[in-house]
Amino acid sequence: MARLQNKIVFITGASSGIGKASAIAFANEGADLIIAARRIDKLEELEIDLREKYKVDVLTIQLDVRKKMDVKKAVASLTGKWRDIDILLNIAGLARGMSKIHEGDTEHWDEMIDTNVKGLLYVSREIIPLMTERMEGHVINLGSIAGHEVYPNGNVYCASKFAVNAISKSMRVDLYDKNIRVTTIDPGMVDTEFSVIRFSGDKERAKSVYEGFIPLTAEDIAETILWCAMRPPHVNISRS
Ligand code: 8X3
């Protein structure tokens, strides 16, 4: 049974990792998807796959969430049913570098804060008003365990996820009377491109992060996201 038929889900960071796994998990439940990310070739491949395997409608948008005007234009360009977004998955995010605070690369800091914090805010700012108009919606933000505890050399990445936690809490109180649910998903270590990107393509270093234990997979997290989204309307999973 397709339990999310006729639901519209907007996913950022949909080209890989947890975003892509979520697109697949939600399509498997019959949801129609707006998939957004920077890498259009990967999105187009995914779009074909989702249409063929799950027979859902898919709208693909090339989007860099850091670009405020592009986010505005992308959301303004939505027409018809695509404006009735039921669920927003704010997945786009990344880590860059791991250094002591006094040795960090400020370009890396900008990238993390611009994507994980400002990008999430820009997308939310454009999409939530479409939800408040309909007095219905669910925002699911990808936080992290790093948004609750810091670790050595994690400084700015952790700060960006602490910010996601604060933003999620704020959304929850600000949107309570608009019938909009807000959930934060806070994974620990997930084996995706995350560490390869963090270490600028150094695959050996990335692999070493997951040595000695079995890391979570993108699919594990997508299942959790889906579970939160499928609770009855009166149930808000604040943090998972
Ligand atoms: C990912 C968690 O511990 O790999 O957000 O930084 S961690």
Side-chain angles (χ1 to χ4, degrees):
M1 197 181 63
R3 291 172 289 181
L4 291 177
Q5 208 143 28
N6 300 321
K7 295 282 184 201
I8 306 284
V9 185
F10 190 111
I11 308 174
T12 70
S15 59
S16 64
I18 296 170
K20 180 178 176 182
S22 301
I24 293 168
F26 278 72
N28 189 40
E29 290 294 342
D32 294 325
L33 307 176
I34 303 168
I35 51 173
R38 286 177 295 177
R39 291 178 289 184
I40 189 72
D41 48 326
K42 288 198 178 270
L43 282 185
E44 281 170 352
E45 258 173 47
L46 177 64
E47 173 179 342
I48 293 169
D49 243 35
L50 295 170
R51 283 182 189 279
E52 278 177 5
K53 286 202 190 118
Y54 306 103
K55 314 288 175 220
V56 294
D57 288 344
V58 182
L59 185 69
T60 290
I61 301 181
Q62 183 174 28
L63 185 64
D64 183 341
V65 297
R66 296 173 299 180
K67 298 190 174 146
K68 186 166 34 181
M69 287 319 291
D70 289 3
V71 172
K72 265 183 191 288
K73 275 189 214 148
V75 177
S77 75
L78 298 174
T79 55
K81 74 169 185 179
W82 295 115
R83 294 187 71 74
D84 296 341
I85 295 162
D86 296 289
I87 303 165
L88 165 61
L89 304 187
N90 273 319
I91 312 274
L94 80 179
R96 298 283 283 137
M98 259 187 117
S99 315
K100 291 210 177 286
I101 194 81
H102 59 288
E103 291 165 352
D105 178 332
T106 56
E107 293 297 321
H108 285 165
W109 293 0
D110 286 345
E111 227 181 307
M112 290 187 279
I113 292 169
D114 288 350
T115 310
N116 303 359
V117 184
K118 290 164 72 181
L120 181 144
L121 285 169
Y122 296 154
V123 172
S124 303
R125 178 64 185 86
E126 298 310 311
I127 291 182
I128 293 172
L130 302 177
M131 295 177 168
T132 58
E133 244 173 57
R134 296 166 56 231
M135 289 292 280
E136 201 178 332
H138 192 168
V139 180
I140 302 183
N141 295 325
L142 194 73
S144 171
I145 193 72
H148 299 272
E149 288 299 337
V150 298
Y151 49 82
N153 305 317
N155 43 65
V156 176
Y157 175 72
C158 297
S160 75
K161 291 298 181 178
F162 268 69
V164 172
N165 182 32
I167 292 164
S168 301
K169 283 185 176 174
S170 302
M171 284 181 176
R172 212 169 287 124
V173 293
D174 288 350
L175 299 171
Y176 174 74
D177 61 351
K178 301 290 182 204
N179 195 34
I180 294 173
R181 291 184 282 175
V182 181
T183 299
T184 331
I185 305 290
D186 291 332
M189 292 203 191
V190 188
D191 191 1
T192 58
E193 287 176 305
F194 179 84
S195 291
V196 177
I197 291 169
R198 174 173 240 175
F199 300 126
S200 305
D202 183 341
K203 292 201 171 124
E204 280 312 303
R205 191 167 173 206
K207 217 169 102 193
S208 72
V209 172
Y210 308 109
E211 257 158 30
F213 68 98
I214 302 173
L216 296 162
T217 66
E219 289 71 26
D220 294 328
I221 310 306
E223 267 184 40
T224 308
I225 295 173
L226 185 68
W227 181 82
C228 293
M230 293 207 312
R231 294 310 86 211
H234 66 286
V235 179
N236 182 63
I237 306 294
S238 298
R239 192 181 149 213
S240 201

